[in-house]
Amino acid sequence: MELNSLSNLSSASSILLQISTLLYLFSMAGYLFFLFDQRDRIQKISFHLVSAAVIVHFLSLLVTGIAVQELPIKNMAQSLSMAALAFGGMFIYFQHKFNLKILGVFASTLLSIMMLAVMLVPDTQVASNEILKGFWFVAHIVLVFTGDASLGLACGAGILYLIQERGIRTKTPGFFYKRLPSLDFLDNVSYTCTTTGFTLLTFGLITGFIYAKSIWGRFWNWDFKEVFSIGTWLVYAALLHFRFHSGWRGRKSAIMTIVGFMIIIFTFLGVNIFLGGHHQGFTK
């Protein structure tokens, strides 16, 4: 691709990314306003802002991908951007499925924080690498990121559950009581997000093993991120096992979704920053 064309595409992608960030921030402001003023119109406007932000965000990454001829996930800024897009997309899906309006407060806030981090983290140029291409690599990235996004939303629903449960348990409903649905509904949302995320993460790990075999000649490399990813998978596998066989619903399940998502965050950020490994080249 010619240098001028590449520069134009890069500029267009940067502008689109900035626009999407502003839309995420406006959506967060709208949802925070909705927290105090429960009119449906405010929530709908805020949701449409998130939807518009996700569309513009996707276009930004698409333009970047066309420019570099590969999946734009070679440094920390690009990885955070991809994670935010996956989170925004999954939020839209679950919002249509459950219409849990208050979840938008959590989602839009986290999206705004992630996109501000994208703006602040240097978008370091990394040379093209042939091993970061191909079907199995793309499938691995898409499945893991959408799986993590679903598990992040399970965490959000878990937080809302604990807030509502505490008010009911202490008989001091307070500010959130009328703004949150029933405990059973919140538990069901968290459970669905967890099972969806766990399924996507499972297939993401499988495609990752296949990709590793095709590149390094072995399924497992004892890479730090591989170890922590398997650890994350085991945490959620344990959660679902105890839920099915030991009645771990409600409070215990909500706490586990939060713990699990904290591990995901450390796996995504902490492992690369402090430990390194084969995956460090994706997010350094």
Side-chain angles (χ1 to χ4, degrees), residues 38 164 173-181:
Q38 292 281 287
Q164 184 73 312
F175 177 79
F176 286 98
Y177 179 72
K178 292 183 179 180
R179 291 167 169 79
L180 293 173

Side-chain angles (χ1 to χ4, degrees), residues 47 94 132 148 155 163:
F47 178 71
F94 284 113
L132 303 183
D148 286 350
C155 169
I163 292 172

Side-chain angles (χ1 to χ4, degrees), residues 70-148:
E70 59 189 7
L71 200 64
I73 192 170
K74 295 191 298 183
N75 58 41
M76 180 65 77
Q78 292 178 356
S79 297
L80 279 169
S81 182
M82 186 70 71
L85 178 63
F87 189 82
M90 295 309 292
F91 166 67
I92 291 171
Y93 168 73
F94 284 113
Q95 179 62 27
H96 279 297
K97 184 176 181 66
F98 291 107
N99 194 30
L100 179 54
K101 299 175 182 178
I102 201 70
L103 186 61
V105 178
F106 171 81
S108 62
T109 301
L110 185 56
L111 282 166
S112 296
I113 292 171
M114 293 172 73
M115 292 307 293
L116 287 174
V118 171
M119 295 292 105
L120 294 173
V121 174
D123 189 4
T124 308
Q125 295 300 313
V126 180
S128 180
N129 192 333
E130 287 300 317
I131 72 170
L132 303 183
K133 295 181 180 180
F135 171 79
W136 293 115
F137 174 74
V138 174
H140 168 63
I141 293 298
V142 171
L143 288 167
V144 168
F145 274 62
T146 52
D148 286 350

Side-chain angles (χ1 to χ4, degrees), residues 146-191:
T146 52
D148 286 350
S150 298
L151 296 172
L153 290 165
C155 169
I159 292 172
L160 295 178
Y161 181 96
L162 292 177
I163 292 172
Q164 184 73 312
E165 188 264 350
R166 183 181 183 278
I168 294 173
R169 177 167 49 85
T170 60
K171 298 181 180 180
T172 54
F175 177 79
F176 286 98
Y177 179 72
K178 292 183 179 180
R179 291 167 169 79
L180 293 173
S182 69
L183 293 177
D184 285 341
F185 182 73
L186 289 169
D187 184 60
N188 183 47
V189 172
S190 181
Y191 169 69

